[in-house]
Amino acid sequence: MAEMSDSNLDKPTIFQQAIASCCGAIITSLFVTPLDVIKTRLQAQTNPFSKGKCFVYSNGLMDHICVCENGDSKAWYKKPGHFKGTLDAFAKIIQIEGIKSLWSGLPPTLIMALPTTVIYFTCYDQLSEALKSRLGKDDEHIPVLAGSLSRFGSVTVVSPLELIRTRMQYRNLSYSQLYMCISSKVAADGCFSLWRGWSSTVLRDVPFSAIYWYNYERFKKKMCKEVGAHEPTFLIAFTSGAASGSIAAVITLPFDVVKTHRQTQLWESETLKIPQRACTSTWAAMRKIVAKNGITGLFAGIIPRLFKVAPACAIMISTYEYGKSFFSHLNEKMNQRP
């Protein structure tokens, strides 16, 4: 019983888990953002964005909708280059525009990704511990339940902030103008209007989290058993994160495609002042895509999504696990002091 108590004392606190997830989000953004900047620039080269057109910028942690103004955009997309490929694009952007251009759009990513990631990962660990005490620590339903509930909670909490961020990005409003804009929207459409787009985000992110955590915990346990490790090493967490992230990304891709369609249509209608059509359900949007492009239309962009999601999941979870391990050993040393 004393051993169990000491083990619990050594575990990272909620605050330490929050710090570990925060560091993970920052490191993931720093590593993955350049990949999406390059992808966007290569995409613009083959298919230039016209005025009022939107494109989605996503680095595996956050989605951003960017509107082109006169074939240009303030941060994520500057001017089309003449790139032969990914490595050529890296070299030319650094040479011509400076290394900072590879991290275009990083500040708004961090502003939104940090609270989302902290809520998500901290809630997952707390829920897992609570469920283990009720269902037993080897119950296979725990990662699914904890992953789904924590993602549902983080999406719900951050959804109004996402709306506020996109309004500021689009109209360049001051804080007083933003307050007037949000309050008039609430007065006209009610409080629930702040959660517009919540359903399509939940339909994509909650199944992704359930599949991701279920596979991650399985892969991690299996690999730890094979190498005889009591806790996951950085390499085990990295490999398990990449594999489980890839599986979840492929299965939930149709929901991602629908969310992207809805986001870009909304922004283009606002930018080009086109009256919006009646809002359709997710299933209706899926049927429309299948009717137009066939079943493969629901899996459009599978390769770029994997190139973003796999490294983002791998870096995020391995950094988070390393951070928790660091705090666990720190707590152990502190508790051993007389």
Side-chain angles (χ1 to χ4, degrees), residues 38-69:
I38 296 295
K39 182 198 76 76
T40 304
R41 299 292 289 277
L42 288 170
Q43 183 187 345
Q45 182 176 276
T46 54
N47 184 24
F49 303 122
S50 57
K51 184 180 179 182
K53 266 292 184 187
C54 299
F55 62 93
V56 177
Y57 169 97
S58 170
N59 62 6
L61 283 177
M62 290 299 301
D63 295 340
H64 301 285
I65 295 292
C66 304
V67 184
C68 294
E69 298 167 10

Side-chain angles (χ1 to χ4, degrees), residues 87-310:
L87 290 176
D88 185 54
F90 264 108
K92 282 182 178 173
I93 288 172
I94 292 169
Q95 186 183 358
I96 298 165
E97 300 171 31
I99 198 163
K100 283 184 180 178
S101 288
L102 291 174
W103 282 273
S104 296
L106 185 60
T109 295
L110 292 177
I111 288 165
M112 288 302 299
L114 291 183
T116 309
T117 309
V118 168
I119 294 166
Y120 177 36
F121 278 82
T122 308
C123 282
Y124 175 78
D125 271 340
Q126 293 298 312
L127 282 167
S128 292
E129 288 301 314
L131 288 167
K132 279 174 188 175
S133 64
R134 285 176 175 269
L135 304 174
K137 68 175 192 174
D138 295 321
D139 195 301
E140 289 191 347
H141 296 100
I142 289 171
V144 177
L145 287 168
S148 301
L149 289 170
S150 57
R151 194 63 186 175
F152 183 88
S154 64
V155 167
T156 304
V157 169
V158 177
S159 196
L161 296 176
E162 174 74 5
L163 178 75
I164 290 166
R165 182 186 64 79
T166 51
R167 292 270 170 194
M168 288 189 81
Q169 182 188 332
Y170 169 52
R171 291 180 184 166
N172 199 21
L173 303 171
S174 67
Y175 285 106
S176 57
Q177 288 172 322
L178 179 68
Y179 175 77
M180 290 299 294
C181 177
I182 298 297
S183 57
S184 61
K185 185 173 177 61
V186 169
D189 303 323
C191 287
F192 289 112
S193 62
L194 295 178
W195 279 267
R196 187 176 181 181
W198 172 85
S199 60
S200 56
T201 306
V202 164
L203 279 170
R204 182 192 65 174
D205 289 1
V206 170
F208 181 96
S209 295
I211 297 161
Y212 171 79
W213 286 109
Y214 174 75
N215 285 307
Y216 174 72
E217 296 292 356
R218 280 186 67 204
F219 292 151
K220 182 177 74 171
K221 194 182 286 184
K222 194 174 180 181
M223 290 176 78
C224 283
K225 195 176 179 182
E226 282 181 11
V227 299
H230 293 292
E231 59 181 37
T233 62
F234 185 88
L235 185 62
I236 287 172
F238 190 93
T239 308
S240 302
S244 51
S246 299
I247 292 166
V250 171
I251 293 171
T252 60
L253 186 61
F255 295 112
D256 186 59
V257 170
V258 170
K259 187 175 188 292
T260 302
H261 271 258
R262 279 182 157 182
Q263 283 178 312
T264 52
Q265 279 176 2
L266 173 65
W267 275 71
E268 284 173 11
S269 67
E270 283 202 23
T271 309
L272 301 171
K273 308 298 181 196
I274 300 167
Q276 290 184 43
R277 284 168 285 181
C279 188
T280 53
S281 70
T282 300
W283 310 113
M286 278 187 174
R287 285 197 299 271
K288 194 176 177 182
I289 292 166
V290 170
K292 189 178 179 182
N293 303 313
I295 198 77
T296 54
L298 291 174
F299 292 89
I302 189 166
I303 301 300
R305 181 158 160 80
L306 283 174
F307 271 115
K308 284 181 291 188
V309 172

